[in-house]
Amino acid sequence: MPHRKSLASVWRRIPQRYRMESTMCETCGTYFFPPRNFCPTCRRKSKIKHYAAKGTGKVYSYTVIHVPQEGFELEIPYVLAVVELDEGAKLTAQLCDVDLEDLKIGMPVEVTFRRISEGKGGGIIHYAYKFTPISGQNK
Amino acid sequence: MEKVAIIGMGMTKFGECWDKGLRDLIAEAGAKAVTSAGIDGKDIQAIYGGNMSAGRFIGQEHVGALIADAIGLSPIPSTRVEAACASGGLALREAYLSIAGGIYDVVVAGGVEKMTDVYTEQVSLTLGGAGDQEWEVFHGATFPSLYAMMARRHMHDYGTTEEQLAAVAVKNHSNGAKNPLAQFPFEITLEQVMKSSKVAEPLKLLDCSPITDGAAAVILAKESFAKKVCDNPVWITGSGHATDTLALDDRRSMTTLDATKLATKVAMKQAGITPKQVDLAEVHDCFTIAEICAVEDIGFVKKGEGGKAEADGMFDLNSDIPVNTSGGLKACGHPVGATGIKQAVEISWQLRGEADKRQVKDANIGLAHNVGGSGATAVVHVFSREVR
């Protein structure tokens, strides 16, 4: 059975997963996702500021998953990608509403809010960002 | 710093060992290692045991004390070391440091994993814990899918092909066929790999290492003790360990493991060697793309040339730098916590001339490379027949 997540562990990630809020370092201009409390480069000189990602970016790499993680059986085949946000941070997310033949590195994508998974036997339903091709730009 | 030698080594058969539990596996490997060293159990002062996840695989924690108990060495200190799939390599390093630093004279470095007592889905979920639970696994990432994205980017940046990936699996099975302790001691063809079922594109079933039970152990000793009891010690001349971000997406590169490069640099500098001087290597081929990245990041070939080099047979058993003579993780099997120690066992057998049908001629210097997760931990050791 998948690791059962506490309500608090889901609640505390709502700003990132629902609204793509994170942090950046004003000293060097680096954007992080997920948030960091200090900048690994600037360290003590870090000036950490909150930001909300615009939610647009490009596919940095991707895979089509045929053997799923437990809890994702109904999704196969599903597309997992590393997306490079326009701000510069990279994150891991699913791509949805995409033709598998159209998949390619560099493809422009934008954020969409979706259901990710649900706990077995009526557990918490998890929502977060997925990404979808920006219409007309996916070829 | 004390010089450190491997004076004894042993491992169980790797595979689906239905008749053996965790304690049976580690007891067998430990006893073989002690017997091969020709020492008495009471000479051993401490144990370092690599184990990734007995808690999730069989519900058993407190593995350090369990190992000492299972091999009849209580009450000596026994420490469990965890770094996902690099747990074994890191246990070896902790054991090495304890002697090099002058704390102990003789210690055991072991590794064990019992993986087949739970369903495959649970194994996958547990292995996923080597990645980032909140930011990768939450979104449906599986372990193969992370390496698949490394492979996809490698193909994009360097023109690496699926056939070149497959060539790694074919080569490692060819070596594994000569290893009676391997999980899959048989050959496979390029066509079989290419036609195997899709796991996470472009990786197919036969690009992936299997689920395995197994244990391995080595006995380490300081120079004065080693020379007294052992005619053919294998010296650990370099040890490197580096870390990187837990999540793959946070890294500077998805096709270079910076942790591998750094750990290799440290280990080679200490050993006073360059990649060209390495006679054979055991590298972390949890997936075929991982071996291609490893041979590049260790410095056997330039970045981007690993796929072609593999397909050209540059790392075959009869080549200048045979890689994964044991069969690697792919064919010998991958009991995650034991793998790093198995690599040391294989290199030791090779340097002592005890590797039978897969013996590499004139093997003097060997290298072992063990990775945790998708590259958040790398541990590299250099071994030599000559003390340095």
Side-chain angles (χ1 to χ4, degrees):
Chain A
M1 179 178 287
H3 183 63
R4 224 188 155 102
K5 294 172 176 71
S6 74
L7 189 59
S9 75
V10 177
W11 164 79
R12 79 174 74 100
R13 292 304 178 212
I14 282 177
Q16 295 89 47
R17 290 184 180 150
Y18 287 22
R19 302 190 292 273
M20 296 202 73
E21 290 177 13
S22 187
T23 62
M24 57 90 64
C25 174
E26 274 194 315
T27 309
C28 66
T30 304
Y31 286 79
F32 308 116
F33 200 96
R36 287 183 183 274
N37 297 330
F38 63 88
C39 172
T41 307
C42 303
R43 304 192 61 80
R44 192 167 297 204
K45 296 192 178 86
S46 306
K47 278 188 194 155
I48 295 297
K49 199 183 111 181
H50 286 264
Y51 82 101
K54 283 184 296 178
T56 49
K58 291 194 182 98
V59 172
Y60 187 82
S61 192
Y62 66 90
T63 178
V64 182
I65 297 179
H66 294 268
V67 179
Q69 194 206 111
E70 194 172 20
F72 290 79
E73 291 85 352
L74 299 176
E75 311 286 329
I76 56 166
Y78 60 98
V79 184
L80 191 77
V82 168
V83 173
E84 186 170 20
L85 298 174
D86 287 344
E87 289 88 352
K90 295 203 285 299
L91 56 77
T92 301
Q94 284 187 39
L95 299 189
C96 59
D97 297 336
V98 57
D99 287 334
L100 297 186
E101 311 86 78
D102 293 339
L103 281 170
K104 66 174 184 188
I105 287 174
M107 171 183 214
V109 290
E110 62 188 355
V111 75
T112 177
F113 186 63
R114 298 294 173 104
R115 186 164 90 157
I116 303 293
S117 62
E118 64 182 273
K120 264 191 180 171
I124 299 167
I125 300 174
H126 300 286
Y127 295 92
Y129 47 81
K130 289 188 185 180
F131 285 79
T132 180
I134 295 177
S135 49
Q137 291 187 37
N138 61 343
K139 296 285 158 133
Chain B
M1 220 162 59
E2 289 283 348
K3 293 178 169 64
V4 183
I6 294 177
I7 60 169
M9 67 285 313
M11 62 181 274
T12 65
K13 165 87 177 165
F14 277 12
E16 293 184 46
C17 306
W18 292 342
D19 57 337
K20 290 176 188 141
L22 185 90
R23 67 179 76 216
D24 306 314
L25 291 165
I26 194 65
E28 181 184 329
K32 281 177 170 172
V34 173
T35 305
S36 117
I39 60 169
D40 198 278
K42 69 177 187 302
D43 294 325
I44 296 166
Q45 295 165 304
I47 300 167
Y48 294 86
N51 177 260
M52 174 178 168
S53 204
R56 303 271 310 251
F57 287 132
I58 57 168
Q60 180 67 60
E61 305 290 8
H62 211 163
V63 174
L66 181 147
I67 293 174
D69 181 11
I71 59 180
L73 288 179
S74 311
I76 65 170
S78 180
T79 306
R80 172 191 183 171
V81 180
E82 191 272 316
C85 329
S87 300
L90 197 56
L92 178 65
R93 178 172 158 83
E94 294 303 314
Y96 164 82
L97 292 176
S98 77
I99 294 180
I103 305 296
Y104 298 123
D105 300 339
V106 185
V107 303
V108 184
V112 61
E113 210 76 55
K114 178 69 197 175
M115 301 175 73
T116 66
D117 276 351
V118 289
Y119 293 112
T120 303
E121 294 76 15
Q122 288 170 284
V123 175
S124 303
L125 201 67
T126 299
L127 293 177
D132 193 313
Q133 190 65 236
E134 286 192 301
W135 305 107
E136 292 178 328
V137 179
F138 172 88
H139 292 281
T142 58
F143 221 66
S145 72
L146 298 177
Y147 276 90
M149 290 195 289
M150 292 162 71
R152 180 68 70 194
R153 189 73 206 190
H154 204 281
M155 292 163 77
H156 174 268
D157 290 355
Y158 304 112
T160 304
T161 66
E162 292 186 42
E163 287 79 4
Q164 290 170 348
L165 296 175
V168 175
V170 173
K171 186 256 300 170
N172 289 348
H173 269 260
S174 167
N175 293 345
K178 298 177 179 68
N179 182 356
L181 296 176
Q183 180 167 8
F184 300 136
F186 53 81
E187 299 191 350
I188 57 172
T189 65
L190 196 74
E191 194 185 9
Q192 283 176 309
V193 183
M194 294 301 290
K195 284 188 172 166
S196 61
S197 58
K198 292 171 181 175
V199 174
E201 295 179 50
L203 299 181
K204 295 167 275 293
L205 184 65
L206 294 181
D207 284 300
C208 306
S209 57
I211 293 165
T212 310
D213 301 326
V218 290
I219 312 291
L220 306 189
K222 70 174 187 180
E223 186 175 13
S224 57
F225 187 94
K227 285 186 167 165
K228 202 166 62 188
V229 302
C230 184
D231 296 333
N232 48 359
V234 171
W235 300 93
I236 299 179
T237 54
S239 176
H241 172 204
T243 58
D244 204 340
T245 62
L246 195 61
L248 176 65
D249 56 34
D250 253 357
R251 308 236 176 98
R252 183 188 63 80
S253 166
M254 273 176 61
T255 53
T256 296
L257 272 65
D258 283 344
T260 293
K261 288 185 82 163
L262 189 56
T264 303
K265 193 177 156 191
V266 169
M268 284 199 182
K269 187 178 176 201
Q270 186 190 349
I273 62 158
T274 63
K276 280 194 169 54
Q277 287 169 269
V278 174
D279 295 317
L280 80 158
E282 288 283 305
V283 309
H284 198 89
D285 61 319
C286 48
F287 300 94
T288 49
I289 182 62
E291 178 165 325
I292 288 175
C293 291
V295 296
E296 295 170 348
D297 297 338
I298 290 166
F300 294 147
V301 292
K302 282 188 195 145
K303 181 48 66 181
E305 294 177 1
K308 183 173 185 303
E310 290 281 359
D312 290 348
M314 194 175 152
F315 304 112
D316 287 0
L317 192 55
N318 57 5
S319 69
D320 287 344
I321 314 174
V323 169
N324 283 331
T325 57
S326 69
L329 283 57
K330 174 69 199 81
C332 191
H334 184 26
V336 280
T339 283
I341 302 292
K342 178 223 76 180
Q343 294 177 328
V345 170
E346 174 69 11
I347 298 284
S348 298
W349 280 335
Q350 289 282 0
L351 298 193
R352 286 160 61 124
E354 297 170 5
D356 202 15
K357 286 179 184 157
R358 58 187 193 284
Q359 180 64 46
V360 173
K361 273 187 201 144
D362 304 321
N364 289 305
I365 295 177
L367 178 144
H369 161 255
N370 195 194
V371 171
S374 59
T377 293
V379 182
V380 173
H381 284 97
V382 177
F383 306 85
S384 175
R385 285 172 63 176
E386 310 291 327
V387 62
R388 179 192 149 84

